[in-house]
Amino acid sequence: MIILGIETSCDETGAAVVEGEPNGKTVTLISNILASSQTIHAKTGGIIPEIAARQQVKYIIPAIEQALKEGGREIDAIAVTVGPGLIGSLLVGVETARTLAYVWNKPIVPVNHLIGHIYANFVRKGEELDAIEFPAIALVVSGGHTDLVLIRNHGKIRWLGGTRDDAAGETLDKIGRVLGLPYPGGPAIEMAAKNGNPKAFIFPRPMLDSHDFDFSFSGLKTAVLREVRTIKRFNPLRSEASNETIVNISASVQQAVIDVLVSKTIRAAQRFNVRSILLSGGVAANQKLREQFELGIRNQELGIELFAPPKSLCTDNAVMIASAAFFNYAPIPWQKISANPELYFDTIVVM
Ligand code: KG4
Ligand code: ZN
């Protein structure tokens, strides 16, 4: 089965074609087109939803056209992100997908963006992939979300916990901004952290020892912002923090976030006796995070296999949306599809 995926939940316009075999354990990436309005948002230091939506309108048709051209084959179905995300951006993808489903007379499959992120782990780009064994724990860690879910099988997902305030990526983005780093903050902090000392500042690890699978990052954000303000106050001649301070704060913040994510995910994996851990979402592109997950699993001798998508498929893309639709194939009439910015794990998944 060949599926066209469409992703427009935020500031990336994605169109992609994937192919899956009946009972296959992975799907094959055939084409992957991504247009981004991130450089525009970099100028304002954050996303202005109205501008993101206008850029989606501009890119969507060329992106789909290119994905189909590179795909080179007729598609069997259309998959589209219906939420969560920015309403204006989501509508562009949903209305385009609906129109194409009607005109081409193809089935249309609504996809939850968060579940889409997890399914980036099931995409083969030419190389062979180890089959993912269930049950699995998935950590979805992006700019908008930090969630832990238990996956017993395709379509059998149980939400275990999530952030009570800011998402991990959002925290990095906000801290990046006060440090004067380019937007988005996550990759910029990773770069800066390479030259910094992760023990230079002791920042809080919120909810590290709580007996649930929830997260909280706003306390960490506040602690860092306070530290930066103090440093600036005692250096009145300098309006910006020094380079040494920036790299040390970056390394220390990154370490605090990683400690919490690794520790709570591994605890969930032990509690539910799973065979695999699946990392996903933009923050999963972080190399240090991946290394420390590997280390944590090895140290605990859990016999669990760690999976993480290629970095290019961690951040938003349409390949993961088509992949999720293949493994959870549930088309609905084109009249019924609608964007839902508030969609979450518990609203469409039952177990
Ligand atoms: O999944 P994504 O592209 O969009 C959402 O659905 O939110 O995630 C974007 C988030 C941003 O907060 C960005 O700073 C973060 O992922 N991110 C990273 C890295 N690359 C992207 N965070 C840490 N290290 C990275 N290398
Ligand atoms: Zn995302």
Side-chain angles (χ1 to χ4, degrees), residues 137 263 265-274 300 302 304:
I137 288 286
S263 151
T265 306
I266 290 185
R267 214 176 305 151
Q270 286 172 304
R271 162 85 173 70
F272 294 98
N273 215 357
V274 302
Q300 305 250 359
L302 296 175
I304 291 173

Side-chain angles (χ1 to χ4, degrees), residues 113 117 142-144 169-170 172-173 184-187 190 281-283 285-286 314-316:
H113 181 81
H117 270 300
S142 69
E170 183 183 4
L172 296 174
D173 292 342
E190 177 171 29
V283 182
N286 188 287
C314 284
T315 42
D316 290 350

Side-chain angles (χ1 to χ4, degrees), residues 3 10 36 50 52 73-74 86 88 104 122 126 140 158 166-167 186 217 219 221 242 286 290 307 312 348:
I3 300 181
C10 192
S36 177
E50 167 76 17
R73 271 171 285 173
E74 192 176 335
L86 304 170
W104 293 341
F122 292 80
V140 183
R158 189 176 129 201
D166 293 357
F217 291 103
K221 179 188 69 189
S242 73
N286 188 287
R290 292 167 178 239
F307 294 87
S312 61
I348 65 159

Side-chain angles (χ1 to χ4, degrees), residues 130-279:
D130 284 353
I132 292 172
E133 305 286 350
F134 295 117
I137 288 286
L139 171 69
V140 183
V141 63
S142 69
H145 292 270
T146 308
D147 289 288
L148 275 173
V149 296
L150 171 65
I151 310 179
R152 294 212 186 272
N153 211 328
H154 296 299
K156 297 239 175 291
I157 297 187
R158 189 176 129 201
W159 181 79
L160 300 176
T163 184
R164 295 184 181 178
D165 39 59
D166 293 357
E170 183 183 4
T171 307
L172 296 174
D173 292 342
K174 285 179 181 162
I175 292 171
R177 195 178 325 164
V178 301
L179 290 177
L181 295 172
Y183 172 87
I189 285 179
E190 177 171 29
M191 280 273 277
K194 289 199 172 100
N195 301 313
N197 172 8
K199 294 191 175 136
F201 294 87
I202 307 299
F203 292 129
R205 270 94 173 131
M207 300 188 72
L208 184 68
D209 297 313
S210 69
H211 295 287
D212 52 27
F213 298 111
D214 283 350
F215 299 93
S216 163
F217 291 103
S218 77
L220 170 62
K221 179 188 69 189
T222 310
V224 178
L225 299 193
R226 200 178 301 133
E227 186 70 48
V228 174
R229 228 174 286 135
T230 309
I231 290 169
K232 285 185 184 168
R233 184 155 4 106
F234 288 106
N235 293 282
L237 295 179
R238 228 188 268 140
S239 60
E240 301 295 333
S242 73
N243 193 48
E244 191 189 354
T245 306
I246 291 173
V247 297
N248 282 338
I249 289 184
S250 296
S252 304
V253 165
Q254 179 175 268
Q255 193 57 53
V257 171
I258 290 175
D259 282 351
V260 178
L261 295 175
V262 171
S263 151
K264 295 206 99 159
T265 306
I266 290 185
R267 214 176 305 151
Q270 286 172 304
R271 162 85 173 70
F272 294 98
N273 215 357
V274 302
R275 299 173 71 178
S276 316
I277 290 177
L278 316 180
L279 304 184

